[in-house]
């Protein structure tokens, strides 16, 4: 049931997921005098590789009607493996391409570039995945609380089935769900910053290329349990806990990369 508290929590979650990366970028810019273009590159590369190329593969391997899609969907373990590897390969390859050829070493040689890029990559994901979604949920919940069905229906372009589906999802949201999602997005942004450090080092130093497959593997390991959550095999809190375990490990490794292996 939708209440005023539901709307407030949805609005807070939307604001957190949208403003956190913006605040991080402003703080990093003021603290390190970092250039902002790598953050824009991170956002654009995420859209191309994750929302474009990776999504295109999902259309064939998950949503398609073919032997591969049927095999993946029939096995939660194969689905988990596919989901983790697809995310790791596409997003880390996009990062590598960006650091090697788009964000030139001559114009952006400093190690701060890796962090700035990571904020842009993780930030746009946070904004699109939960910021925009929770903002829409908050508006729909407000319409329902007012009894304005026409206004809610207009947001879904008159699609009553979509509206019913969305309202069903909103009805299942609790304050705990919102808190978990805010915690998850915070960890995800930090994770993307760490991954960006690994791939930045691999792309800029031939002797450190092994950090690239390391980033792919770590990304896949972090994402795999989410597939089991989608299949109802794991609770949400377990996914968030796992993400933070992997993130803390990644941050520890990234600190070494940033302070010891990268040129200032």
């Amino acid at each position: 049931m939708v209440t005023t508290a539901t709307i407030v929590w949805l609005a807070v979650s939307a604001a957190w997921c949208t403003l956190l990366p913006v605040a991080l970028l402003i703080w990093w810019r003021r603290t390190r005098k970092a250039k902002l273009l790598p953050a824009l590159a991170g956002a654009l590369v995420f859209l191309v590789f994750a929302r474009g190329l990776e999504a295109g593969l999902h259309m064939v391997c998950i949503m398609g009607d073919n032997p591969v899609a049927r095999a993946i969907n029939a096995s939660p373990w194969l689905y988990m493996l596919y989901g983790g590897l697809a995310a790791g390969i596409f997003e880390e390859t996009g990062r590598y391409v960006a650091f090697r050829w788009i964000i030139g070493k001559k114009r952006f040689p400093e190690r701060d570039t890796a962090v700035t890029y990571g904020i842009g990559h993780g930030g746009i994901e946070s904004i699109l995945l939960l910021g925009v979604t929770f903002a829409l949920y908050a508006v729909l919940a407000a319409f329902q609380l007012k009894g304005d069905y026409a206004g809610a229906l207009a947001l879904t372009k008159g699609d009553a089935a979509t509206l019913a589906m969305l309202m069903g999802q909103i009805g299942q949201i609790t304050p705990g769900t919102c808190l978990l999602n805010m915690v998850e997005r915070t960890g995800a942004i930090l994770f993307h910053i760490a991954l960006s450090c690994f791939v930045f080092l691999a792309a800029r130093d031939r002797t450190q290329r092994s950090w690239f497959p390391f980033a792919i593997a770590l990304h896949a390991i972090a994402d795999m349990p989410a597939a089991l959550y989608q299949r109802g095999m794991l609770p949400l809190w377990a996914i968030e806990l796992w993400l933070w375990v992997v993130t803390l490990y990644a941050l520890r490794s990234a600190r070494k990369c940033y302070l010891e292996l990268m040129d200032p």
Side-chain angles (χ1 to χ4, degrees):
M1 179 180 178
V2 173
T3 65
T4 301
T6 304
I7 299 171
V8 171
W9 275 103
L10 287 169
V12 169
S13 298
W16 178 267
C17 295
T18 301
L19 298 179
L20 176 61
V22 175
L24 279 174
L25 190 58
I26 292 172
W27 171 77
W28 187 246
R29 164 74 172 170
R30 290 182 176 179
T31 303
R32 304 293 299 179
K33 307 298 182 185
K35 300 171 184 175
L36 297 180
L37 189 59
L40 177 61
L44 291 176
V45 168
F46 170 80
L47 292 175
V48 172
F49 280 81
R51 287 303 181 95
L53 299 177
E54 184 185 347
L57 182 65
H58 293 337
M59 291 292 291
V60 175
C61 295
I62 297 294
M63 291 171 276
D65 184 14
N66 55 71
V68 173
R70 287 192 288 271
I72 292 175
N73 285 308
S75 169
W77 306 109
L78 191 57
Y79 181 75
M80 178 188 76
L81 184 65
Y82 165 81
L85 287 174
I89 291 171
F90 277 96
E91 292 191 47
E92 301 319 311
T93 299
R95 250 185 272 262
Y96 189 88
V97 169
F99 288 135
R100 189 74 189 276
W101 293 288
I102 299 175
I103 307 174
K105 186 175 181 179
K106 291 184 179 179
R107 291 186 60 195
F108 301 95
E110 55 280 330
R111 61 188 179 185
D112 294 345
T113 300
V115 177
T116 311
Y117 179 97
I119 296 173
H121 185 124
I124 194 65
E125 182 184 53
S126 178
I127 292 169
L128 293 178
L129 190 63
L130 287 182
V132 173
T133 300
F134 276 21
L136 173 62
Y137 283 0
V139 174
L140 287 174
F143 276 131
Q144 186 184 53
L145 194 63
K146 291 182 353 182
D148 188 354
Y149 179 79
L153 191 61
L155 286 178
T156 60
K157 299 180 180 179
D159 190 335
T162 299
L163 177 59
M165 179 192 69
L166 292 174
M167 294 311 303
Q169 293 173 353
I170 294 170
Q172 297 176 8
I173 293 175
T174 66
T177 305
C178 291
L179 282 172
L180 279 175
N181 277 290
M182 287 188 282
V183 170
E184 186 270 339
R185 277 301 100 193
T186 303
I189 292 172
L190 295 176
F191 186 56
H192 280 299
I193 292 172
L195 292 172
S196 296
C197 289
F198 304 147
V199 180
F200 177 88
L201 182 60
R204 298 294 177 88
D205 187 343
R206 291 180 179 273
T207 66
Q208 302 290 342
R209 291 287 170 83
S210 61
W211 286 101
F212 177 53
F214 174 77
I216 292 176
L218 199 61
H219 194 148
I221 289 170
D223 279 11
M224 282 180 184
L228 298 182
Y229 166 72
Q230 293 172 6
R231 293 299 179 90
M233 298 175 66
L234 285 176
L236 181 60
W237 66 264
I239 305 303
E240 312 302 356
L241 179 61
W242 176 249
L243 173 64
W244 271 99
V245 169
V246 178
T247 296
L248 291 174
Y249 170 75
L251 289 172
R252 181 181 179 184
S253 300
R255 183 177 184 274
K256 178 180 179 180
C257 285
Y258 188 86
L259 295 177
E260 300 179 18
L261 301 179
M262 294 182 191
D263 294 329

